[in-house]
Amino acid sequence: MTRARRWLLLAALVGGGGGCAASSFDRYFEAGQYELAARAHEADPSPAPSDRTLFRLGLVYALPQTPVYDPTRARASLEALRARFPASRFRTPGRVLLALLTELTRLETEVDMEQFQLDSLRVTLREIQEGHQALRQGIANQDRELERLRRELRRLEDELADKSLTVRRLESELERLKSIDLGRPSP
C-alpha cells in the first residue's frame, strides 16, 4: 500500500467516526458509497456545511478510485474547512489530505507528461521502424539491381572475349590472305 493510500485511509477513518448519521450524505459516506454521498450533497447542499461535512466532501472527491474523483472540488472543500474552521479537529487531517491531493495531482500531471512523451517516442519509433524497413527494401532492391548488373557485365565480358577471339581469327585470316596475295608463304 502506498504512502498516499495509507494517508487517505487514515483520513477516511478520522472522518468516518463521530456519532450518528444525520443526513443522507452522512449515511452514504459511512456506508462507503461515495458516489451516492456526493449526489446526495449536490441534491441538497447545506448552506453552511459543518467541518465534518467539508472534510468528508474533501475525502469523497479526493479518492481517485471513485467515479466522483474531482481534485478541484476536493481542494475547494478542504480549503473551505481550513478557512471557516481554524480550530476544527479535522483541520490537521484536512491539511494532510490537501497536501496528499496536491502531490497526487502533481504526480498525475507528471504521469500525463510522461505518457505524452511515451506516446511521442512510440510515434518516433514507429517512424524509425518504417524508415528502417524502407531502407532495407531499398537495399534489397539495390542488391537485386547490382546482381543483375553483375550478370550483365559477365555476359558482356563473355561476349567481348568471343568477339576478341573472332577479331584475332579474322586478323590471322587477313594476314594469311595478304601473304597469299603478296606471294609470301603463310605463317
Side-chain angles (χ1 to χ4, degrees), residues 41-166:
H41 177 74
E42 290 167 4
D44 185 26
S46 171
S50 68
D51 57 344
R52 183 176 77 168
T53 299
L54 286 171
F55 179 72
R56 286 181 168 187
L57 273 173
L59 276 174
V60 164
Y61 293 123
L63 297 173
Q65 67 271 20
T66 67
V68 292
Y69 173 63
D70 185 343
T72 303
R73 289 177 121 174
R75 192 171 281 106
S77 294
L78 295 169
E79 292 289 347
L81 169 66
R82 187 171 66 180
R84 291 176 47 199
F85 299 99
S88 170
R89 68 183 177 116
F90 297 105
R91 181 176 173 83
T92 299
R95 192 176 70 243
V96 169
L97 183 57
L98 189 57
L100 288 172
L101 187 60
T102 299
E103 180 64 11
L104 181 62
T105 302
R106 185 191 69 76
L107 289 173
E108 286 174 340
T109 301
E110 189 175 306
V111 165
D112 288 345
M113 288 175 20
E114 288 178 2
Q115 185 63 48
F116 177 78
Q117 289 176 341
L118 181 60
D119 292 343
S120 295
L121 288 173
R122 283 185 177 139
V123 167
T124 302
L125 177 60
R126 188 171 40 252
E127 290 169 352
I128 289 170
Q129 288 171 333
E130 289 169 359
H132 179 74
Q133 183 62 31
L135 288 174
R136 289 178 69 116
Q137 185 64 41
I139 290 170
N141 291 342
Q142 288 179 351
D143 285 346
R144 283 191 296 275
E145 180 64 13
L146 182 60
E147 185 56 35
R148 187 192 67 76
L149 291 172
R150 283 183 180 146
R151 283 192 310 268
E152 181 67 13
L153 178 61
R154 281 192 299 270
R155 186 189 67 75
L156 291 172
E157 286 172 341
D158 289 346
E159 187 178 315
L160 177 61
D162 287 345
K163 292 198 187 274
S164 292
L165 182 60
T166 302

